[in-house]
Amino acid sequence: MRTAAWQDYELIDASAGERLERWGEILLIRPDPQIIWNTEKKDRRWHSAHARYHRSNKGGGHWEPYQKMPEVWSVGWRELTFRLKPMGFKHTGLFPEQAVNWAFAMEKIQRAGRPVKVLNLFGYTGAATLACLSAGASVTHVDASKGMVQWARENAAVSGLSDRPVRWLVDDCVKFVQRERRRGNTYDAIIMDPPSYGRGPGGEVWKLEEQLDNLLGLCLTVLSEKPLFLILNSYTTGLSPAVMEYLLTVLVKERLGGRVTADEIGLLVTDSGMVLPCGNTAIWEGDG
C-alpha cells in the first residue's frame, strides 16, 4: 500500500541513506537506513533544505539548520491540520505514510451508518484520532506521554475538532485496556501503533515481542458485539506483514470471523516514481 494523496507532504528524493522531504513549505533531509542505494541527487532542492538531521554513533543525533525556519509550522491533509516541529530522533510529529490507514478508518466509520466508538492506543500526536473524529466517531485516545497527548489536543484544536466526543488519556495502554475490561466498556474499532520498546507514565516497561500477543488478546475482550475493524501498525524490524497477518488471523479472525489483510505501507518518491517502504500494517475487518 502506498500513500500519495498529499498536497502538503512530498517525498522528493531518496539516496545515500537520506530522504529529501517537503513538509508544506519546509524542506528537510532525514536519515533512513533502508535507503541503501546511491543514485545521483539531481533535484536542486537537496541544496536548499532548511535543515538536516545527523545521526550520532553514540545514539540519537541533532538537527543542523541551513536556513531560518519556524519552530512550529502546520501541514494539512484533507480537512485536518497537523502542527509539526523538529524533534529528537529525526521525527517531526507526523508519519505521512499512515494516511492510508486514516483514509481506511474514515471510510469504514462513515459507511457504518451508526455511532462508532474507537480506541486509539499509543495514539502519539493524534492523527488517527482526528481522522476518526472527523468521520463522526467518538474516540478514546491513549498514550503514555503527557507531551504527546497535549500535542494531539493542539492538533484537534487547529483542526476545529475540540468539540467532538474524545477522551484524552495519559496512561499505560495495557493497564488501561485491563481496566476497561473490568468496567465492561467496549469499542467498535481499535487502532494501535505500538513501539518496539517504551515506558508507561508509571515506569512500566513495554517490549513489543513479549507483550503484543497479550495486548491483542486483551483488546478482543473490549470489542463490541459488532466490531468494525482493528488496525495494527508497526515499524519494528522483524515484525513483517506476514507475521502481523498471522497474529491477527489466529487471535482475531479465528474467533470473530471477518477477514485479515497485511502489507507494507510506503511513500511515492517523486523523482524516481518508486515507492519507499516505511512500515507494516495488518487490518482485521469484521462482518458487522
Side-chain angles (χ1 to χ4, degrees):
M1 295 187 290
R2 70 182 188 183
T3 296
W6 276 89
Q7 293 296 322
D8 279 359
Y9 173 83
E10 180 186 8
L11 178 50
I12 300 168
D13 197 8
S15 179
E18 293 182 313
R19 305 182 185 188
L20 172 63
E21 301 169 294
R22 177 180 61 81
W23 302 79
E25 300 299 320
I26 303 300
L27 295 174
L28 299 178
I29 299 173
R30 299 192 298 157
D32 190 318
Q34 294 195 98
I35 303 172
I36 61 174
W37 49 89
N38 290 282
T39 51
E40 184 180 355
K41 296 179 177 179
K42 297 179 180 180
D43 198 297
R44 295 180 180 179
R45 286 171 289 184
W46 280 104
H47 306 290
S48 58
H50 290 81
R52 176 184 244 130
Y53 188 85
H54 297 279
R55 287 191 182 277
S56 168
N57 293 331
K58 299 179 181 179
H62 70 279
W63 287 95
E64 179 185 6
Y66 292 148
Q67 56 178 301
K68 187 176 181 180
M69 60 181 285
E71 292 184 4
V72 179
W73 73 100
S74 296
V75 298
W77 180 79
R78 295 189 180 181
E79 66 269 32
L80 304 178
T81 301
F82 308 111
R83 290 165 56 84
L84 307 179
K85 60 183 176 182
M87 301 167 60
F89 299 101
K90 78 176 183 179
H91 298 305
T92 65
L94 187 70
F95 292 86
E97 63 274 10
Q98 287 296 323
V100 67
N101 286 331
W102 311 334
F104 168 85
M106 292 174 71
E107 182 179 0
K108 293 289 288 187
I109 291 165
Q110 291 165 345
R111 286 188 175 184
R114 58 182 171 92
V116 174
K117 292 175 60 180
V118 177
L119 174 60
N120 186 14
L121 299 172
F122 311 95
Y124 195 52
T125 59
T129 292
L130 270 59
C132 293
L133 288 174
S134 69
S138 60
V139 184
T140 297
H141 175 107
V142 186
D143 196 279
S145 168
K146 184 178 179 180
M148 292 301 105
V149 173
Q150 178 58 36
W151 194 338
R153 294 174 69 107
E154 293 170 3
N155 282 336
V158 296
S159 295
L161 298 172
S162 294
D163 61 342
R164 300 297 177 93
V166 58
R167 291 193 295 164
W168 305 105
L169 302 176
V170 180
D171 206 340
D172 175 78
C173 289
V174 173
K175 290 184 176 180
F176 174 77
V177 176
Q178 290 172 335
R179 289 197 300 273
E180 289 293 88
R181 178 182 60 180
R182 292 194 294 268
R183 295 166 182 147
N185 292 334
T186 60
Y187 299 87
D188 303 298
I190 297 176
I191 300 169
M192 66 175 77
D193 190 356
S196 300
Y197 178 86
R199 289 188 178 274
E204 303 89 347
V205 176
W206 165 269
K207 292 183 179 180
L208 183 72
E209 295 86 350
E210 297 177 4
Q211 293 175 266
L212 181 56
D213 180 89
N214 176 59
L215 177 58
L216 285 169
L218 283 172
C219 286
L220 280 176
T221 68
V222 296
L223 282 174
S224 65
E225 292 183 359
K226 294 184 178 180
L228 287 178
F229 61 85
L230 187 153
I231 299 175
L232 171 63
N233 190 78
S234 177
Y235 293 93
T236 301
T237 303
L239 198 62
S240 67
V243 170
M244 295 165 67
E245 182 178 11
Y246 200 108
L247 272 171
L248 292 193
T249 297
V250 299
L251 292 175
V252 186
K253 180 183 175 183
E254 290 186 1
R255 302 184 192 185
L256 301 179
R259 71 188 190 103
V260 174
T261 55
D263 204 349
E264 287 183 333
I265 53 174
L267 293 164
L268 179 68
V269 182
T270 303
D271 278 10
S272 69
M274 303 287 284
V275 174
L276 178 69
C278 301
N280 301 315
T281 292
I283 299 174
W284 172 81
E285 297 178 64
D287 297 324

